[in-house]
Amino acid sequence: MRILVANVNTTETMTKSIAQQAEAVAAPGTEIVPLTPDFGPESCEGNYESYLAAIAVMEKVRAYKEPYDAVIQAGYGEHGREGLQELLDVPVVDITEAAASTAQFLGHKYSVVTTLDRAVPLIEDRLKLAGLTDRLASVRASGLPVLALEEDPDAAVAAIVEQAVAAVESDRAEVICLGCGGMAGLTEQVVARTGVPVVDGVAAAVTIAESLVRMGLTTSKVRTYAPPRPKEIRNWPPNTRA
């Protein structure tokens, strides 16, 4: 089984971190292929960057020529999953939805701890669209930008742990979801401080994708995710025509 794991930003070190987390939980015989977009932002922290990243990820996946069995979109609260589902027959799993759906097997209420506060509405909207808000206790922001996870990991971990503890004590969350693909690998540290299950979206997405493939399930094409209708798309890719 081969699974493409697409980072939504262009930071190669983050792609590597995401791939390591995916490989750590993948079953024997599952090949993880990490992808980094060819263009787009170095981190996604708002709607503009998220929509730009969605296009970049779709184009990167479309350009991959070898066979594969599933795709994981490794960006929390990001746009583009529906577009990938139109383009592909194989299962497409978004880490936001994978983490939240997994959390609901583990406790009554779950909270998400993410990076900047401006990302909170994007995550709330993605969870609402997926029908996963009924048991959402809160979405909390650590206040640190995405790239701080690599630039100052100690401060990032401290801020994430602080908000996770607050989610458990103040919001009555029983499960914590790590709300950024770049948080891969922080699970044990948050568990140690909160005493509750902590779900990493990349790990959850890999196991869900593997299950869907093993069950022989594919993306439905009868209506919502039917392939795009054939038509001319003008001046795309950009800067290739006079």
Side-chain angles (χ1 to χ4, degrees):
M1 183 188 308
R2 177 181 289 160
I3 299 177
L4 308 186
V5 180
N7 182 10
V8 298
N9 64 50
T10 55
T11 301
E12 291 281 0
T13 52
M14 196 164 291
T15 301
K16 182 178 179 180
S17 175
I18 290 168
Q20 289 173 340
Q21 182 69 0
E23 290 165 353
V25 299
T30 296
E31 178 188 2
I32 299 297
V33 178
L35 300 179
T36 303
D38 294 325
F39 61 91
E42 61 181 351
S43 64
C44 292
E45 295 170 327
N47 282 286
Y48 171 74
E49 294 166 351
S50 180
Y51 279 114
L52 185 60
I55 297 170
V57 167
M58 284 187 282
E59 291 303 297
K60 188 68 175 182
V61 171
R62 272 169 30 99
Y64 188 83
K65 300 305 181 184
E66 299 298 321
Y68 54 91
D69 301 288
V71 175
I72 291 171
Q73 180 175 286
Y76 220 92
E78 308 303 337
H79 302 92
R81 186 261 297 162
E82 297 88 346
L84 282 170
Q85 287 184 291
E86 288 187 5
L87 293 172
L88 307 174
D89 294 322
V90 302
V92 177
V93 183
D94 171 76
I95 66 170
T96 317
E97 298 167 8
S101 58
T102 299
Q104 294 186 108
F105 289 104
L106 306 174
H108 181 251
K109 290 279 188 178
Y110 72 95
S111 285
V112 177
V113 178
T114 189
T115 50
L116 296 177
D117 181 68
R118 65 177 297 163
V120 170
L122 276 72
I123 293 171
E124 290 175 338
D125 285 351
R126 171 55 63 184
L127 293 172
K128 183 176 181 180
L129 184 65
L132 293 166
T133 53
D134 284 350
R135 290 163 62 183
L136 174 65
S138 60
V139 180
R140 285 179 165 265
S142 66
L144 295 175
V146 171
L147 295 182
L149 297 168
E150 295 187 338
E151 296 167 354
D152 193 350
D154 290 340
V157 170
I160 292 163
V161 167
E162 179 183 1
Q163 292 304 316
V165 170
V168 173
E169 294 180 351
S170 300
D171 306 332
R172 311 301 293 171
E174 298 175 13
V175 184
I176 297 296
C177 294
L178 298 177
C180 176
M183 292 180 183
L186 301 185
T187 303
E188 292 183 2
Q189 297 173 75
V190 181
V191 169
R193 286 291 305 275
T194 61
V196 304
V198 176
V199 182
D200 171 76
V202 174
V206 169
T207 55
I208 290 171
E210 287 178 327
S211 297
L212 294 172
V213 173
R214 290 195 186 98
M215 288 188 288
L217 298 174
T218 58
T219 298
S220 175
K221 294 295 175 181
V222 298
R223 192 181 187 191
T224 307
Y225 304 124
R229 296 181 62 196
K231 64 185 69 174
E232 179 186 3
I233 299 179
R234 296 180 181 174
N235 300 320
W236 185 260
N239 301 323
T240 60
R241 302 184 184 184

